[in-house]
Amino acid sequence: NLSTPNSMMLASIIIASFVSQVLSLSPTSISREAVLKPFTEGKAFKVISGLHNFDIDLVKNVAWAAENGGASHVDIACRPDLVRAAKSVCSLPICVSSITPSAFVEAVDAGADMVEIGNFDSFYKEGRQFSAADILAMTSEVRKLLPTIPLSVTIPHTMSLSEQIVLAKDLQKCGADIIQTEGKFSANVAGMGVQELIEIASPTLAAAYAISRAVTIPVMCASGLTDVTVPMALAAGARGVGVGSSIYKLAKAQQMRMAVEAISLCMGRSGLPEASCEPVEVQIGATSSVSQSAARVM
């Protein structure tokens, strides 16, 4: 008889236990304000694992290195299992990247805190190009599907700088929260001295300078940045930076962490955490040397 006090109390305990179990299985989410705060403060640092990187162990290593090296965000491929894997070792906001707006929905349901249209580098190699109309259409569709999710949009470097500025303004009107720049990576630069590192980063630095003066939303500078050029990106007007292959191509999680820390320190990001236990290591055959300038060409 559920009308008796003891029965009602027992029913309440069962319901409370069920709700607690359901909540414990739900992905942890980070508020919109918390996700965007590092950009408003001008010190956002997003570690990118790669749009086409679906290796769960490698993604976990990158996510672990990002948090323990002092980054503010992690950017991974748009797949729910990757989101859950990154969340299992990292409490930073997780951004998922794709050019398929509908794919974002499942990733957000799995716990992604931010979405990004881009990055486009891998598609250029396939001969694929993106117009301003393409980017705006994808942005509009994302906003219809996910009206409040923090949204970053990459502007293709294949456009002229004047075209990039026009697109950035249109993207702000369309509801983008962050504009990410990119630059053409030159494989013909000889050597890796300071001058060469600056030359590699110059296209994305120029875009960050111009676009940050044309829009009121934060600009994130990415492509070819290092610990040498990240301070230049911030000085140019970027409110955050994105760094990828110079981190995830390293052979061990600890080396990745040191590369992340080198960037964090040159940005003046305070309160670097003490390294926690590492996830399962992934040997990827990259160089094992890590110096003060560990974060080299993206």
Side-chain angles (χ1 to χ4, degrees):
N1 186 355
L2 292 178
S3 63
T4 64
N6 287 341
S7 297
M8 293 177 65
M9 182 178 296
L10 179 59
S12 298
I13 292 173
I14 293 173
I15 292 172
S17 176
F18 175 75
V19 170
S20 177
Q21 290 181 42
V22 170
L23 291 175
S24 68
L25 294 174
S26 301
T28 57
S29 60
I30 301 174
S31 71
R32 174 181 168 85
E33 293 72 21
V35 172
L36 296 175
K37 183 178 179 182
F39 292 98
T40 60
E41 294 176 342
K43 289 190 176 182
F45 173 19
K46 184 181 70 171
V47 177
I48 304 167
S49 73
L51 180 68
H52 288 150
N53 177 15
F54 302 110
D55 184 321
I56 289 181
D57 288 330
L58 181 52
V59 167
K60 288 173 69 174
N61 275 359
V62 171
W64 175 89
E67 179 158 39
N68 287 279
S72 63
H73 298 73
V74 180
D75 187 328
I76 65 176
C78 186
R79 216 169 67 179
D81 59 332
L82 296 179
V83 174
R84 288 187 286 268
K87 287 275 186 179
S88 71
V89 297
C90 174
S91 63
L92 298 178
I94 302 298
C95 175
V96 290
S97 291
S98 178
I99 60 167
T100 306
S102 59
F104 289 130
V105 176
E106 286 189 6
V108 170
D109 288 342
D113 306 292
M114 179 177 178
V115 301
E116 178 171 301
I117 298 172
N119 302 302
F120 302 123
D121 286 347
S122 59
F123 295 103
Y124 298 146
K125 297 174 184 177
E126 300 170 358
R128 187 169 179 180
Q129 301 288 322
F130 298 87
S131 67
D134 293 332
I135 306 299
L136 288 168
M138 287 187 278
T139 303
S140 296
E141 187 173 351
V142 171
R143 271 295 168 245
K144 289 177 183 177
L145 293 170
L146 300 164
T148 62
I149 195 75
L151 169 61
S152 173
V153 183
T154 301
I155 294 186
H157 73 73
T158 52
M159 298 179 181
S160 69
L161 199 51
S162 60
E163 290 173 329
Q164 292 184 47
I165 291 171
V166 171
L167 177 56
K169 292 179 178 179
D170 289 340
L171 287 169
Q172 179 170 338
K173 294 176 184 176
C174 200
D177 295 297
I178 308 290
I179 299 294
Q180 179 168 300
T181 65
E182 62 175 20
K184 183 177 181 180
F185 181 84
S186 173
N188 298 320
V189 176
M192 282 297 165
V194 172
Q195 180 175 333
E196 289 77 21
L197 295 174
I198 294 173
E199 288 176 2
I200 289 170
S202 60
T204 195
L205 293 175
Y209 180 91
I211 293 172
S212 66
R213 284 156 177 77
V215 298
T216 57
I217 57 177
V219 171
M220 177 166 46
C221 188
S223 291
L225 296 181
T226 71
D227 52 344
V228 171
T229 51
V230 159
M232 297 178 187
L234 300 180
R239 305 295 289 175
V241 299
V243 183
S245 61
S246 63
I247 295 169
Y248 71 71
K249 285 186 177 180
L250 293 170
K252 293 180 176 291
Q254 194 61 254
Q255 294 164 358
M256 296 178 194
R257 183 196 65 78
M258 293 172 67
V260 173
E261 186 172 314
I263 297 285
S264 298
L265 290 172
C266 78
M267 293 181 69
R269 289 183 55 80
S270 59
L272 295 182
E274 293 185 8
S276 64
C277 295
E278 298 180 23
V280 177
E281 288 284 4
V282 179
Q283 299 295 331
I284 59 176
T287 179
S288 61
S289 60
V290 180
S291 63
Q292 182 180 1
S293 293
R296 285 310 182 208
V297 181
M298 178 176 167

